[in-house]
């Protein structure tokens, strides 16, 4: 709860810094302000913020912290409505005591300063799409790719349904396996895909060996954030560039050095923490890359692989 409250406070400073200063004016000059309105917005802040913190903070214990922090920022908007409303009272009070030219300057700064601090550009590189295109590069044209993170799901389905770059690859979202409309849409999109029987209440099974048996010639791959889940159930799985190739049988001739070199050659590794925008799922995207780099590096046991291990360590530091 304390950690989540700290996130909310940090988000308030990051996204509403100037507004927080204006909030102080009606509080300092409360004799001239409608107390009922300020009390109302205070209750809004305490109620909406407190309820959200109480519920969402319980999920932090079972969710990945970086993912949770990237997701919850959007939900802070509801309690922050109170902050901006009180800031409006402060701006109104300030406007009644200073020259109009100063008010116009303040209004212009409210729009220009955030844009100068965090410029937006449609020409900017899109690491989420680069990540999705990396999944296409590291998979076969008819493979099954298992997704878990929101950013991967949205980017992958953009390439599948909008640009058509995915070809015959099948993107699977196990979190929707119990949702009948999703299953119907999956059948319509991939009529040649053989799925295990749908069980009411249980949905589609997540035994990937069954999926492979029903669809010979198709491999099952998983995105990096599923590393621990996959390795716990299928410890013989191996890296496949930026993906995980799910396998119940050990590889006859494992090639950890070749796997590491293939992972390091991925152009997505050029995107580092220094470029990631805070409070976005770009931060969580880096988390998945770190998980993959740690796993690939842990498989390097030969002294001849030391240069690769050092490159992976440098990459981990950058991520």
């Amino acid at each position: 709860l304390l950690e989540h409250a700290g996130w909310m406070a940090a988000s308030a400073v990051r996204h509403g810094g100037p507004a927080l200063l204006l909030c102080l004016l009606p509080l300092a000059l409360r004799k001239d302000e409608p107390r009922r309105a300020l009390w109302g917005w205070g209750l809004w802040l305490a109620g909406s913020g407190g309820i959200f913190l109480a519920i969402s903070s319980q999920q932090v214990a079972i969710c990945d912290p970086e993912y949770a922090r990237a997701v919850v920022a959007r939900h802070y908007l509801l309690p922050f409505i109170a902050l901006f409303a009180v800031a409006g009272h402060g701006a109104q009070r300030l406007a009644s005591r200073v020259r109009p030219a100063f008010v116009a300057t303040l209004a212009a700064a409210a729009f220009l300063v955030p844009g100068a601090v965090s410029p937006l550009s449609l020409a900017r590189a899109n690491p989420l799409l680069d990540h999705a295109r990396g999944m296409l590069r590291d998979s076969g044209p008819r493979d099954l790719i298992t997704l878990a993170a929101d950013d991967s799901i949205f980017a992958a389905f953009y390439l599948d349904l909008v640009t058509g770059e995915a070809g015959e690859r099948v993107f699977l979202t196990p979190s929707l396996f119990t949702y009948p409309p999703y299953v119907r849409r999956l059948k319509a999109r991939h009529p040649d895909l053989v799925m295990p029987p749908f069980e009411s209440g249980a949905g589609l099974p997540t035994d990937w060996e069954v999926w492979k048996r029903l669809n010979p010639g198709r491999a099952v791959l998983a995105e990096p954030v599923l590393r621990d889940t996959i390795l716990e159930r299928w410890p013989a799985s191996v890296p496949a560039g930026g993906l995980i190739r799910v396998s119940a049988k050990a590889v006859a001739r494992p090639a950890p050095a070749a796997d590491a070199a293939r992972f390091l050659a991925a152009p997505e590794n050029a995107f580092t923490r220094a470029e990631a925008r805070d409070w976005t799922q770009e931060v969580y995207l880096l988390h998945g890359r770190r998980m993959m780099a740690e796993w690939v590096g842990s498989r390097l046991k030969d002294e001849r692989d030391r240069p690769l291990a050092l490159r992976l360590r440098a990459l981990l530091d950058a991520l």
Side-chain angles (χ1 to χ4, degrees):
L1 182 62
L2 291 175
E3 182 178 28
H4 204 329
W7 291 351
M8 180 175 281
S11 180
V13 174
R14 171 67 176 80
H15 298 112
L20 295 179
L21 298 177
L22 290 173
C23 285
L24 300 177
L25 288 175
L27 300 178
L29 305 171
R30 58 183 179 274
K31 292 182 180 180
D32 300 324
E33 293 293 332
R35 292 190 180 186
R36 183 173 298 180
L38 297 182
W39 274 108
W41 286 119
L43 289 174
W44 177 283
L45 176 62
S48 61
I51 292 173
F52 176 68
L53 284 178
I55 296 175
S56 187
S57 63
Q58 304 310 304
Q59 296 177 327
V60 175
I62 59 175
C63 292
D64 186 283
E66 290 189 276
Y67 174 76
R69 187 178 186 272
V71 170
V72 296
R74 70 189 71 167
H75 299 288
Y76 293 153
L77 179 60
L78 187 64
F80 285 178
I81 288 175
L83 296 180
F84 289 106
V86 176
H89 283 285
Q92 185 177 13
R93 186 58 187 157
L94 181 65
S96 67
R97 296 199 171 194
V98 298
R99 295 180 180 277
F102 181 82
V103 178
T105 302
L106 180 64
F111 287 95
L112 298 177
V113 171
V117 173
S118 301
L120 299 177
S121 172
L122 294 178
R124 183 181 183 278
N126 192 324
L128 299 182
L129 279 180
D130 291 342
H131 169 67
R133 289 193 171 100
M135 291 193 288
L136 302 185
R137 182 197 62 235
D138 294 328
S139 61
R142 300 181 70 250
D143 287 348
L144 313 180
I145 304 176
T146 307
L147 306 174
D150 293 346
D151 48 329
S152 300
I153 293 170
F154 295 142
F157 277 92
Y158 175 80
L159 297 183
D160 185 19
L161 302 177
V162 179
T163 66
E165 296 175 53
E168 294 302 314
R169 292 174 181 82
V170 181
F171 292 109
L172 298 175
T173 309
S175 59
L176 295 175
F177 274 13
T178 58
Y179 187 50
Y182 168 80
V183 178
R184 290 195 296 268
R185 188 238 162 250
L186 193 60
K187 289 180 180 178
R189 175 68 182 84
H190 302 282
D192 61 335
L193 177 68
V194 182
M195 293 187 288
F198 181 89
E199 300 179 9
S200 180
L204 294 173
T206 55
D207 188 336
W208 304 124
E209 289 299 315
V210 173
W211 285 77
K212 286 198 292 185
R213 278 200 307 271
L214 294 175
N215 298 274
R218 291 182 184 258
V220 176
L221 303 129
E223 64 169 323
V225 293
L226 291 169
R227 181 198 66 185
D228 296 343
T229 303
I230 295 297
L231 292 181
E232 181 179 0
R233 191 168 178 181
W234 294 281
S237 300
V238 294
L243 292 171
I244 302 166
R245 183 176 294 272
V246 182
S247 177
K249 298 179 180 179
V251 178
R253 293 183 178 180
D259 293 334
R262 182 180 175 186
F263 174 76
L264 285 167
E268 306 93 79
N269 288 327
F271 178 70
T272 63
R273 180 169 288 273
E275 300 176 68
R277 290 174 293 190
D278 196 20
W279 297 103
T280 71
Q281 292 192 348
E282 290 180 356
V283 177
Y284 186 61
L285 185 64
L286 295 177
H287 174 66
R289 302 297 295 178
R290 286 201 307 274
M291 292 179 69
M292 200 69 184
E294 290 169 354
W295 180 37
V296 170
S298 69
R299 300 172 75 243
L300 297 175
K301 307 295 184 182
D302 198 311
E303 183 62 27
R304 292 175 298 180
D305 301 332
R306 182 173 175 78
L308 287 172
L310 292 175
R311 289 175 60 192
L312 283 168
R313 173 53 55 188
L315 176 62
L316 279 168
D317 292 340
L319 296 177

